[in-house]
Each structure stands twice: as structure tokens, then as C-alpha cells.
Amino acid sequence: MNLLQLQKAHKAYGRKILFEEETFAINDGEHVGVIGPNGAGKTTLFRTLVGEEHLDSGEIIKSNALRLGYLAQEDDWNLNESGEEFLQENCSLPLWQLKDLGLGLGLKSHHFSEPLKNLSGGYRMRFQLLFLIGREPNLMLLDEPTNFLDLESLMALEKFLQSYEGAFMLISHDREFLRRVTDHTLEVEAGQITKYPGNIDDYFEQKAQLRQILERQAANQDLKKKSIEDFVRKFGAKATKARQAQSRMKQLEKMETIELRELPVRARIQIPAPSPVGKEVFHLTNASMGYGSKEIVSVKDLRLERGDHLGIVGFNGVGKSTLLKSLSEKIPFLSGTLKWGYQVSVAAFAQHSTDSLVANHTVLRSLQEKAHIEVTQQEILNMAGSLLFSGDAVQKPISVLSGGEKSRVALGQILLSKANVLLLDEPTNHLDFETVEALTSALQNYQGSLIVVSHDRGFIGRVANKILEIHNRKLELYPGTYDDYCWSLEKGALANRAVESFDLPASEVSGPSRSDFSEVAPDRKVNVKEERKRLEAQLIQINKKMKSFESQISQKQQQRTTLTDQLLTASGDKAMQAAKDLASVSEEVDHLEESLLEELEAESQITNELESLKLQARG
């Protein structure tokens, strides 16, 4: 059954045409991946289909049976409500069913009772997805649903979408995710919307084949036209050949023109060769990393050698970003020794790197400021062009750029530094599909050393040649490939091993240790009253910490709002200082949110332990 059709649709913003006289249809049960460059109109298309924007001309035809659901990148919710309240008020599916699905997506039971404002962006996104599913649509529009998901949650979402009986349209730059969950591909590019059967691999193959066929047809047509024109020119004046010449002229007039559109500009990133470095880049021994006195991750012995490309894996909140911030000296090590090799230079890209861009600086000036002294002006312009800033676009001020464009500028700054060690924390967020592909190719060929954190399986699987895993606050080299790691995670093998290998002393962490939350063995005699009193005392301490974190987060968020307003109006040195302060406050908010989530998890586990004690007492 046809659920939705777009007929001769035209949409433009000023002189920029997003799509022109375009037509396509979505049928019941189709799983459609939507791809295209940033700014091509993918999100605008979704907003138009749900009625948040309107076509300049054309028509949207919807089936009477259509139930449309939209997962936007940002939603305006009442953040004072709990997730449970929000779902109960707005969904038709029973709450128990949504909770069951939410647990599969990485939510914990306590998240449902928490106000949405206390949750990180990743957990809010999960509630958005539950809200959407709970309204039982038969066509879902999903705009970048994989952002902020760790690998475990992404796999749960992938499994759900694979078995989803309804239709969906999915915007994503994650090639592996698209390959696994879609059976059609919708390309939005250069004013055209084209639907291809098959997943992303089929799309690339079909598009290449179609281009080759059109090129051959156009070449053959040109030869035929030239032959006819030569005949007319040679014999048109002769009486005996005049009739034949006129006949062939009519053939020429009727001949259909095969239009070969110019191929759109693709991002092709060339990273300047890094400075030479010795064989060993760094040696980290007996190191502990975290904030204040709280250890987040530790490592006994880690060596990085020239040319190593390390992928950091682990669940959300285990300390991947903490590791990169420690190595880039944004936060100090709690203990241990880090010894850098000969002539090592480090450049780091963090999730908030765009905050340090100066609003009134141009793209070109921003790249020039961070480029190595040996990098030429032409190399800077080449980098700008490879990141799709060509011609007058290099003179655009940072303040008018989109989030994706700012990310490209921040990446360009890192890549022009000629650093021989790159630390990249989620570098593909906010990048379009083509730019992710270009960055992947560039980093595969990068001769320096690389440590990268990413939720994009296709990206990290192709870029990393070694895998470092963080589990139970320990960083260790994983004995296998990234594909091996994903397979083990999918089969549940890693979860079992993580529990068995937990041996971190309780004295090394603030708050209750894992052993404090373990279930009481049935053959062990326990003074239930004393155990309950101990756990309740811990619960009181955790609640105090949570209130403190919530208060600090609120204050820091107010500071961030004030600094953002200052940055929009300031210039020169004041703008530079405001940008630095904004980046610092944003990092502090991230740290506080991580700590709050850990305390929430501890609260949930203690609550479960208390319930277990109650049952034991009754027994």
C-alpha cells in the first residue's frame, strides 16, 4: 500500500533550490535510508512531510491509513516531567511495553522516574524514540537517531528497526547502520530527490552503473548527431540527396537529449604529512584518570607506537572522553606516569571543539590561525576546498555557519596542525555522509598515530587497526578486531566477562562499589536489619551528592547561557576570552552530568538491594 507521495515538489530558500519538480513515494513496510550533503534539504524534507514547513509548489498525497511519527534532532518538551509521566500522557502503547523496549535501548529503571531535565542528550533521545513508537505510527521519520548512542544501544535500535513491520525513513551518516536496517535509499542532492531499491551498498553500485550507462548513451548519441550533421552538410545542397538530408534533419530534431548533470563537489580531504616522530609515541604506566578524587578509568601499561590507529570502545559514561582529555592535558592524571616520545606533537578534537571558534572570524582566518608554520597558504585553501568551503565561502564568518560546517572548520584546524598524534572524540557527529566517507579515507591513509572515539561502526571499523576497551574502569587492549568486538557484544559475551573481571578496590572510587550492590547469597547469614541500615545510610549520602550535582549543573548552565550571549555580541580579544570560558564551562557541565548519572545508577542498585532484603526478610 502506498502511504505517502510527493508530487512535483518545489522548495527553495531565496536563490537556493532544495528540490525542484521532484516526485517519489513511500510504501507500507519500506525501510528507507535518506542520504545527502549537509544543507541539501534532508531535514527540510522531513519537516515538510509532517507539516512544519510548506512546499512552494507541488503536492503531498497521504493515505487515509497513514499514521506519521517524527523523531526530530531537537524537540521542545516539558523537561520538568519524568519520562514515565511523559510517555503515559502521550502514548497509546502500555507503559510496561515501552519500559521493556527502553531497557533494551540502554535505559535503566530509575531513568523513567527522573525529570527529563536531569538526563543527558543521549538518554533524552531514547525517550524521544519511545514516545514515537508509543504512538504506533506506520511511517516513522527518524532524523539522526544514532547520535549519542553507545554501541550496545545502537545495536538494540538496529535490532528493533530490522524487525519493525511498519515503514520508516531514516537520516544517517553511519554506513554500517544503513547497510543493516534499510532496503531502499533516498538521495537528496543538487535539487533532486532520487529513490533507489536496496541498501547503501546497492545504492553506490546502482548509481555508478547508471552514470556509466548514461555516459555511454550520451557518447553514442553525440556520434549519431555528428554523423547526421556531416551528411546534411555534405549532401544537403545536392538535389539527388536533398530529401534524405531533410529526413535526417527531422531525425536530429526528434532525438531526445540525454542530460548528464555535473557531478556535485565531493569532500576529498588531504591531511598534510605529520612531523617525523620516533617509534614509541608514548608510554603510560599505572595511570589513574578522573575528576577530583574520583577515578573514572585506570590503565596498568599502555604503549602507543608510530602508525598505531587505536579505536576506544566501551559503553556510554565509562570514561572514553576522560581518557582523551587526560592525554590532551585538559585534565590532570590522578596518578601514574605518561612519557611522551621524541618530537611528539598532539592535536585534539573534542565534542565541544566548535565552541572555541571565534564568531566574527572567517573560515579562512580560523584555519590559518591553527595551521602549522610549514603549511602553505595553498594547502590551507586546499583543505578549505576539501571541506566544501571554496570560492567566497572561505570568507564566511563562523557566526553564520551551520553546526556541520563549524565541525568541518574545527576538524580542518586539527588536520592542518601537522601533529603526529591525533585525539578525536566523536569526529563524525554533525558531518554529512559524504564528509564522513572523505574523513574515513583520509584517516586510513594518515601516517601519524591516532586515538579515536566514535559510535559510527563503519568509521571506526575502517580507521582503527587496534581496539582498546574500557570496562569496569580498566583500559585494556582488546584481543581481536573491531568486528570481533561487535560480535561479542551482540552475543552478550562481554557483559558476562565484565562482571567476572571486576576487581577494583572500593577504596579507589567514591560512593558504593560494585560489591556493595551484589545480591545477597542465599547460603550466607546476613543481619538484615544492619544491612538495611547500612544501605539506607549510603542512599542518604548519594541523594545529597545528587542534589549538589543538580545545583552545580543548574549554575553552570546559566553561566553557559550568559557566555553564549556575550559571544554573539563581543569581538576581538573579548570574543576570544568568551569562547574559551564557554568551552571550559561546557566541559564542567559534561563532567557534572557524568557524575550525576553514576550516582543515579548507584541509587537504583541500592534500591534494588533493599527490595531484595525485604523479600529475604519475608522468606
Side-chain angles (χ1 to χ4, degrees), residues 442-458:
L443 291 175
Q444 281 179 304
N445 298 317
Y446 174 63
Q447 298 302 307
S449 301
L450 172 68
I451 303 181
V452 60
V453 172
S454 177
H455 67 270
D456 187 326
R457 274 177 298 174

Side-chain angles (χ1 to χ4, degrees), residues 17-88:
I17 297 175
L18 296 182
F19 26 93
E20 185 175 16
E21 298 293 310
E22 295 305 306
T23 297
F24 71 88
I26 302 297
N27 300 312
D28 189 27
E30 288 184 339
H31 294 176
V32 183
V34 182
I35 65 170
N38 278 347
K42 302 184 298 295
T43 297
T44 300
L45 173 62
F46 276 19
R47 289 172 56 84
T48 302
L49 294 178
V50 299
E52 294 183 5
E53 295 199 27
H54 300 285
L55 295 172
D56 298 329
S57 63
E59 185 179 10
I60 301 173
I61 302 171
K62 298 179 180 179
S63 164
N64 290 333
L66 177 66
R67 300 186 306 277
L68 195 60
Y70 179 34
L71 176 67
Q73 292 187 33
E74 297 180 4
D75 264 324
D76 187 17
W77 289 1
N78 178 6
L79 297 181
N80 292 315
E81 279 189 317
S82 70
E84 186 172 299
E85 290 170 338
F86 181 78
L87 295 175
Q88 280 182 320

Side-chain angles (χ1 to χ4, degrees), residues 472-504:
N472 292 329
R473 298 192 176 98
K474 291 189 179 298
L475 177 68
E476 296 176 350
L477 188 67
Y478 180 77
T481 66
Y482 185 65
D483 288 341
D484 293 336
Y485 175 80
C486 292
W487 184 90
S488 299
L489 185 63
E490 195 168 7
K491 300 302 179 183
L494 297 186
N496 295 334
R497 186 204 59 187
V499 172
E500 293 167 1
S501 66
F502 187 89
D503 56 4
L504 194 66

Side-chain angles (χ1 to χ4, degrees), residues 28 68 79 136 146 193 252 344 431 442 590:
D28 189 27
L68 195 60
L79 297 181
E136 300 184 89
T146 61
I193 302 177
L252 190 62
V344 169
L431 298 183
D590 287 344

Side-chain angles (χ1 to χ4, degrees), residues 238-256:
K238 293 187 177 182
T240 56
K241 298 286 187 179
R243 184 173 294 178
Q244 293 181 30
Q246 289 176 0
S247 175
R248 296 197 181 188
M249 281 294 293
K250 289 179 181 178
Q251 283 182 339
L252 190 62
E253 291 169 0
K254 291 179 181 179
M255 195 176 292
E256 183 182 354

Side-chain angles (χ1 to χ4, degrees), residues 320-338:
K320 300 188 293 292
S321 295
T322 301
L323 170 66
L324 294 190
K325 289 173 182 175
S326 298
L327 291 175
S328 61
E329 300 181 348
K330 291 184 178 179
I331 58 174
F333 285 90
L334 302 182
S335 63
T337 304
L338 174 63

Side-chain angles (χ1 to χ4, degrees), residues 266-335:
R266 301 297 191 198
R268 287 180 175 83
I269 299 173
Q270 293 183 336
I271 305 176
S275 304
V277 67
K279 182 180 179 181
E280 186 171 275
V281 174
F282 71 66
H283 186 193
L284 186 59
T285 54
N286 298 319
S288 175
M289 292 154 275
Y291 306 98
S293 60
K294 184 173 183 62
E295 181 186 76
I296 303 297
V297 61
S298 65
V299 59
K300 186 175 181 179
D301 186 89
L302 175 64
R303 297 174 188 269
L304 182 72
E305 295 187 349
R306 181 179 62 239
D308 279 348
H309 288 188
L310 304 184
I312 311 298
V313 298
F315 301 142
N316 278 354
V318 298
K320 300 188 293 292
S321 295
T322 301
L323 170 66
L324 294 190
K325 289 173 182 175
S326 298
L327 291 175
S328 61
E329 300 181 348
K330 291 184 178 179
I331 58 174
F333 285 90
L334 302 182
S335 63

